Amino acid sequence: MINQSLWYKNAVFYEISVRAFKDSNGDGKGDLCGLTEKLDYLQTLGVDCVWIMPIYPSPLRDDGYDIADYYSVDSAYGSLDQLKGMIEAAHQRGIRIIMDLVLNHTSDEHRWFQASRSDRNSPYRDYYVWSDTDQKYKDTRIIFLDTEPSNWTWDEKTGQYYWHRFYASQPDLNFDNPKVQEEMLNVARFWLDLGIDGFRADAVPYLIEREGTNCENLPETHEYLKKLRAFMEEHYPGRILLCEANQYPEDVRPYFGDGDEFHMGFHFPIMPRIYMALKKGRYEDMAEIMRRTPSIPENCQWCTFLRNHDELTLEMVTEEERQWMWKEYAPEPRMKLNLGIRRRLAPLLDNDRRKIEIANSILFTLPGSPIIYYGDEIGMGDNIDLPDRNGVRTPMQWDDSPNAGFSTGKPFSELVQGELGYQNVNVASQINDPDSLFRAIKRMISIRKTHTAFSGSSMEWIETGNPAVSAYLREHDGDAVVVFQNLSDAVQVAQIPANFQKTVLDLFTDHSFSLGTSLELRPYSYLWLQV
Ligand code: GLC
């Protein structure tokens, strides 16, 4: 059994846009009561921890990542009491809840920024990063490349530029100011006191700026994050910090510190390489990045994912690989966004059930705790007619009734139409169908949970003599599972090394058989074998 305080090391996470999940009052927007109604569904799937995207008051220029008030819930989603009720109901089902902690920036409508920009002498002036010139920090890349010409925006009234790593409507807080540091600890305290189980900390590489650097991953940034962790360790042990640092593994590694910074960090670079593997029918890109992934402290864990609420980011691949990914996965220009692809899992994988399943097989067998993006467990579609990343944040498809069972009112967003729309893809039709994608994923989750092999960090690649067949051994605490995956659309034969030529148990069929010198695998098939 895994130590309870290390619960996150082998948990299944699930990411939710509250607005898009379930509307309980017919106003067309999902809310906390709606989410509460659907906790049984999440429990059925086998979810251990839900990450809810921002529900704070916000002008929604970045879908809530532009926060106007850190201390309340936007009334569209409900009240603080309803949030508490949702958390309690989740805890009764053994489900934990984490929320976004957006440290790096606020909305330009936040009262701190309003005060800051009202007057150069405002006590809040120094809460943000101001400059007389837009020539500072020249080595810093622009993240929202499609819309932002610069990380500086001119403020007419006070005659200076302010710094922002994302939209101009999201001014960066000044983490060199001890008051800002303190304010954000207070924010964390507020939500932890309310009962949440931790935070997905947004955009953490960018907290501090220094001339002559790229203003990412700076030592002073780590210093602050360690303070945040120490504060949580002291007052809220067992609650977690999950790091969003879209960086190469060696640059994410410092965010784990000596086990005294983040509990978890997203593994960004493995994600696009899973898609590369499936398109090329070769596993080498996956193996290369996993080999390049440094080991992390015992009390830490990676968080792996196939998709999330953002574009499928191609920041962590080479320029050549990026062009190739765009060519293969974003044939239409409007499918691209910034350095990524704004599409969901099922459409990316041609709605091919075999590809969707094998991608999930990879997700659930890699080292790390997996996170599912809401709706991907049923293979729901996207709507690329919607701007920005809204096309992958459409209402959850619960059933085939007029508003997809999401709302009795007019939904806040257009629904997905066509092959992957709610008429064809929905929870109601899948939940009791033993052959559905939902059931296949539920089964993977339940097998994963009963095998401690998956909770460790070890992963040993097995040479199959066939570049299309990835094979690896996961071993932990006396439990050992070998995973074979045929990444190609043709039948493949894998050579079996002598030390694996023995009796194995197929975890999906419960049949034992003897592994011989070779193994034939159907296109896109996967095997999880206990050895
Ligand atoms: C993170 C979020 C993204 C948001 C950005 C700015 O990358 O995932 O949705 O736009 O931070 O807050």
Side-chain angles (χ1 to χ4, degrees):
M1 259 314 281
I2 192 159
N3 175 341
Q4 253 317 95
S5 69
L6 299 179
W7 62 270
Y8 50 90
K9 283 195 69 178
N10 191 23
V12 173
F13 287 72
Y14 189 92
E15 179 189 358
I16 285 181
S17 159
V18 176
R19 177 156 5 91
F21 205 55
K22 172 67 187 173
D23 173 20
S24 71
N25 63 4
D27 69 356
K29 294 179 194 136
D31 47 46
L32 291 162
C33 292
L35 168 52
T36 311
E37 284 171 32
K38 293 299 183 185
L39 289 169
D40 287 336
Y41 167 75
L42 299 175
Q43 192 180 19
T44 303
L45 180 59
V47 170
D48 302 302
C49 182
V50 173
W51 154 29
I52 55 173
M53 288 167 58
I55 53 171
Y56 318 99
S58 161
L60 298 182
R61 299 220 188 79
D62 186 7
D63 209 7
Y65 283 93
D66 47 331
I67 299 176
D69 173 6
Y70 283 96
Y71 293 102
S72 61
V73 165
D74 191 304
S75 57
Y77 306 114
S79 63
L80 283 174
D81 276 339
Q82 286 168 346
L83 175 64
K84 268 194 214 160
M86 188 275 284
I87 295 169
E88 275 160 29
H91 286 173
Q92 279 161 16
R93 291 164 177 78
I95 298 175
R96 290 176 161 94
I97 305 288
I98 64 172
M99 297 172 77
D100 266 288
L101 181 64
V102 183
L103 297 166
N104 182 65
H105 47 266
T106 69
S107 159
D108 58 359
E109 292 186 16
H110 194 287
R111 67 179 175 81
W112 298 338
F113 190 68
Q114 295 291 318
S116 186
R117 80 182 329 177
S118 69
D119 179 354
R120 284 205 196 190
N121 296 316
S122 158
Y124 288 96
R125 186 67 173 179
D126 207 25
Y127 268 47
Y128 295 86
V129 182
W130 294 95
S131 161
D132 289 329
T133 117
D134 59 358
Q135 298 304 304
K136 278 170 84 173
Y137 314 139
K138 274 296 200 200
D139 300 332
T140 309
R141 70 190 167 118
I142 295 169
I143 297 169
F144 286 169
L145 273 171
D146 288 1
T147 43
E148 300 305 308
S150 166
N151 287 320
W152 291 109
T153 289
W154 176 248
D155 181 57
E156 199 59 57
K157 176 141 189 254
T158 55
Q160 277 188 315
Y161 295 91
Y162 65 88
W163 178 251
H164 54 88
R165 291 306 302 274
F166 297 93
Y167 289 127
S169 54
Q170 291 165 296
D172 270 38
L173 283 164
N174 173 16
F175 272 84
D176 279 319
N177 181 346
K179 284 200 198 122
V180 167
Q181 296 202 4
E182 190 61 35
E183 293 272 14
M184 297 319 279
L185 290 189
N186 290 336
V187 169
R189 178 185 295 118
F190 180 82
W191 297 102
L192 293 162
D193 282 343
L194 211 110
I196 64 150
D197 298 287
F199 298 107
R200 176 262 191 190
D202 184 73
V204 292
Y206 322 121
L207 301 187
I208 298 272
E209 301 74 34
R210 288 289 178 270
E211 203 53 74
T213 74
N214 67 356
C215 296
E216 300 191 3
N217 313 320
L218 297 183
E220 295 87 341
T221 292
H222 286 288
E223 218 173 278
Y224 178 69
L225 295 167
K226 283 198 165 68
K227 273 192 216 166
L228 171 63
R229 171 64 181 270
F231 161 81
M232 283 182 60
E233 220 46 48
E234 184 180 350
H235 304 287
Y236 309 94
R239 322 269 188 112
I240 61 158
L241 281 172
L242 164 58
C243 171
E244 189 216 13
N246 187 353
Q247 306 280 335
Y248 276 104
E250 56 274 20
D251 297 322
V252 179
R253 175 64 190 82
Y255 288 92
F256 296 113
D258 297 319
D260 59 355
E261 206 168 309
F262 280 90
H263 300 78
M264 302 186 74
F266 287 113
H267 200 307
F268 275 93
I270 183 64
M271 182 274 298
R273 288 167 179 80
I274 297 173
Y275 293 90
M276 282 157 64
L278 290 175
K279 195 64 97 175
K280 293 184 187 171
R282 299 172 80 89
Y283 71 85
E284 70 190 20
D285 296 304
M286 273 171 28
E288 190 265 329
I289 203 75
M290 292 312 290
R291 289 199 179 103
R292 182 172 160 184
T293 300
S295 67
I296 55 177
E298 204 28 54
N299 60 343
C300 295
Q301 186 59 295
W302 294 102
C303 186
T304 50
F305 61 100
L306 296 171
R307 285 296 291 113
N308 63 19
H309 65 289
D310 287 324
E311 66 275 26
L312 186 167
T313 166
L314 299 174
E315 280 159 84
M316 293 303 123
V317 298
T318 64
E319 179 57 33
E320 195 187 327
E321 289 168 331
R322 188 177 303 133
Q323 295 300 336
W324 183 86
M325 281 290 289
W326 272 331
K327 179 165 72 65
E328 296 294 334
Y329 282 106
E332 286 182 47
R334 64 189 179 142
M335 294 173 177
K336 294 186 193 169
L337 180 69
N338 300 316
L339 290 186
I341 303 171
R342 47 188 213 102
R343 304 222 67 191
R344 262 188 184 267
L345 180 67
L348 279 166
L349 298 181
D350 312 317
N351 192 28
D352 183 328
R353 173 67 181 273
R354 301 167 309 169
K355 293 189 204 166
I356 298 171
E357 269 194 43
I358 197 172
N360 277 283
S361 166
I362 297 168
L363 175 70
F364 289 114
T365 57
L366 283 175
S369 293
I371 183 160
I372 302 167
Y373 184 49
Y374 82 93
D376 281 348
E377 74 280 16
I378 54 169
M380 80 180 237
D382 53 27
N383 183 339
I384 50 173
D385 293 335
L386 300 173
D388 200 346
R389 291 149 290 175
N390 297 354
V392 300
R393 302 176 186 179
T394 57
M396 178 69 174
Q397 298 174 180
W398 293 105
D399 59 38
D400 64 2
S401 68
N403 295 326
F406 162 73
S407 174
T408 54
K410 185 177 178 309
F412 72 94
S413 154
E414 273 175 43
L415 298 163
V416 176
Q417 301 300 330
E419 192 194 355
L420 298 176
Y422 62 98
Q423 296 94 337
N424 302 315
V425 177
N426 61 65
V427 171
S429 67
Q430 292 195 25
I431 200 155
N432 294 317
D433 173 359
D435 297 324
S436 67
L437 176 64
F438 174 88
R439 290 286 283 267
I441 290 181
K442 176 176 149 70
R443 181 117 173 85
M444 287 190 214
I445 292 174
S446 81
I447 294 175
R448 188 192 146 95
K449 283 189 177 173
T450 50
H451 282 275
T452 41
F454 296 116
S455 63
S457 55
S458 90
M459 177 192 212
E460 192 189 309
W461 290 86
I462 299 168
E463 184 49 59
T464 61
N466 184 334
V469 181
S470 70
Y472 38 83
L473 170 69
R474 301 291 322 276
E475 199 170 9
H476 186 66
D477 240 357
D479 185 35
V481 176
V482 173
V483 178
F484 287 96
Q485 291 159 149
N486 175 359
L487 304 165
S488 79
D489 60 1
V491 173
Q492 300 286 349
V493 176
Q495 303 307 319
I496 308 297
N499 53 332
F500 291 103
Q501 294 175 16
K502 50 184 159 193
T503 304
V504 294
L505 176 72
D506 181 328
L507 296 178
F508 286 99
T509 61
D510 270 339
H511 285 128
S512 289
F513 66 98
S514 230
L515 267 185
T517 53
S518 67
L519 177 70
E520 193 179 275
L521 289 140
R522 284 177 290 108
Y524 300 116
S525 64
Y526 55 93
L527 282 173
W528 301 4
L529 306 175
Q530 187 171 18
V531 292

